[in-house]
Amino acid sequence: MATTSRTAAHHESPGTAPPAYLQGTVLWVSGGFYDVQTERGVVRCVLRERLRKNLVYPESRGRRRRVQAVRKQEIVEPAVAGDQVCIAPPSSSQSGTEPIGTIEEILPRTREFTRQAVLGHDRGGNTAGQTIIANLDQLVIVIAARQPEPRVGLIDRFLAAAEAAELEALVCINKLDLGLSGDLDAELAVFDDIGYPVVRTSAESGQGVDALRGRLRDHVSAFVGPSGVGKSTLLNALQPDL
Ligand SMILES: Nc1nc2c(ncn2[C@@H]2O[C@H](COP(=O)(O)OP(=O)(O)O)[C@@H](O)[C@H]2O)c(=O)[nH]1
Ligand SMILES: [Mg+2]
């Protein structure tokens, strides 16, 4: 049955993934497992083994490309948070404790956030960017309403960094339950005026968390801001729907 419907859909739109595959976003990579957000919820996956390998092709063109060598990719993680992937979902007949899907393809990245990583001696000690997060497109600048004392200059610096990296940005004022410090209200109005959304939250009470979640939809976002402003607490408050 599954094979029949797969073939039929292939006739309708050649070149696209069979409908048995699901597209999703890698949320979390840990211990060889990849949690992938799909339209059917979060699916825990492993990576198809060939995606771990570096296939090396000869330089010459015009001939059928044949793999010359296979190198194991040992240092660089092939799939990272933010990657768009095609997965084969766990089959319904699969027995056992937790159903596990398989990542079959990693789609091309639109952008990468990298850190310089020194590769092994066998590659001549060359440095290459190690991708930490893929397809990042939004910076969430988190500042506390009080404690640690908000510094508007810091928001400015993060906004400048976001612009330089061509990321969308929004300002999140957390710990609203403590009350706004000084004339922060007036200063925040300026950010709103120049086009940066300001979201006010209390991770503690849950106020504004839905609004923030709405801003995260359809984005790959990174949370930045000083230590102690409540980034981890906010992520935990957001988690049920992530
Ligand atoms: N009053 C209040 N405290 C908060 C709120 N969010 C986080 N905190 C507290 O602030 C402290 C630092 O939070 P944490 O999430 O670790 O900050 P991070 O360093 O930015 O990840 C913790 O003690 C949290 O319980 C909030 O909305 N209101
Ligand atoms: Mg933290």
Side-chain angles (χ1 to χ4, degrees):
M1 283 295 268
T3 315
T4 314
S5 67
R6 189 184 287 192
T7 312
H10 239 125
H11 277 292
E12 283 160 28
S13 52
T16 60
Y21 284 11
L22 279 176
Q23 194 171 326
T25 307
V26 176
L27 295 180
W28 184 253
V29 183
S30 176
F33 291 105
Y34 303 79
D35 287 339
V36 178
Q37 175 78 59
T38 72
E39 60 186 18
R40 289 194 224 153
V42 177
V43 181
R44 178 148 289 199
C45 294
V46 291
L47 199 65
R48 178 69 69 206
E49 186 58 24
R50 73 179 152 74
L51 296 177
R52 284 199 185 282
K53 294 179 176 152
N54 239 344
L55 303 182
V56 180
Y57 293 96
E59 296 282 310
S60 69
R61 290 157 180 256
R63 281 200 278 140
R64 190 158 167 262
R65 297 202 323 156
R66 279 231 172 106
V67 174
Q68 258 189 339
V70 176
R71 287 194 195 131
K72 191 99 172 166
Q73 288 195 331
E74 275 163 8
I75 297 171
V76 179
E77 178 60 63
V80 299
D83 264 321
Q84 290 291 307
V85 292
C86 271
I87 69 162
S91 69
S92 47
S93 61
Q94 192 175 312
S95 59
T97 45
E98 193 187 8
I100 302 283
T102 307
I103 295 178
E104 299 286 349
E105 289 299 337
I106 303 166
L107 302 183
R109 290 172 182 158
T110 54
R111 48 169 70 241
E112 298 181 305
F113 185 71
T114 61
R115 130 183 116 191
Q116 291 300 105
V118 179
L119 296 181
H121 292 303
D122 55 333
R123 302 197 187 179
N126 286 333
T127 62
Q130 178 188 355
T131 300
I132 298 168
I133 186 163
N135 303 322
L136 177 70
D137 64 2
Q138 179 167 266
L139 211 57
V140 179
I141 302 163
V142 186
I143 298 292
R146 269 179 203 281
Q147 284 170 16
E149 206 54 40
R151 286 188 294 125
V152 172
L154 190 66
I155 303 179
D156 289 337
R157 295 224 307 273
F158 276 124
L159 286 175
E163 288 300 332
E166 298 183 339
L167 301 173
E168 288 181 40
L170 64 94
V171 180
C172 173
I173 306 298
N174 187 42
K175 303 200 190 186
L176 209 60
D177 55 291
L178 299 181
L180 281 186
S181 169
D183 44 18
L184 189 59
D185 221 8
E187 293 176 299
L188 291 177
V190 176
F191 293 115
D192 244 341
D193 285 347
I194 58 176
Y196 296 107
V198 178
V199 182
R200 291 146 199 254
T201 61
S202 167
E204 201 109 304
S205 76
Q207 185 187 351
V209 170
D210 283 339
L212 179 58
R213 189 181 292 121
R215 293 274 178 192
L216 301 179
R217 198 154 293 140
D218 301 325
H219 287 287
V220 175
S221 305
F223 282 55
V224 296
S227 168
V229 296
K231 297 180 297 295
S232 301
T233 316
L234 268 176
L235 290 175
N236 283 330
L238 290 161
Q239 195 67 32
D241 272 85
L242 272 183

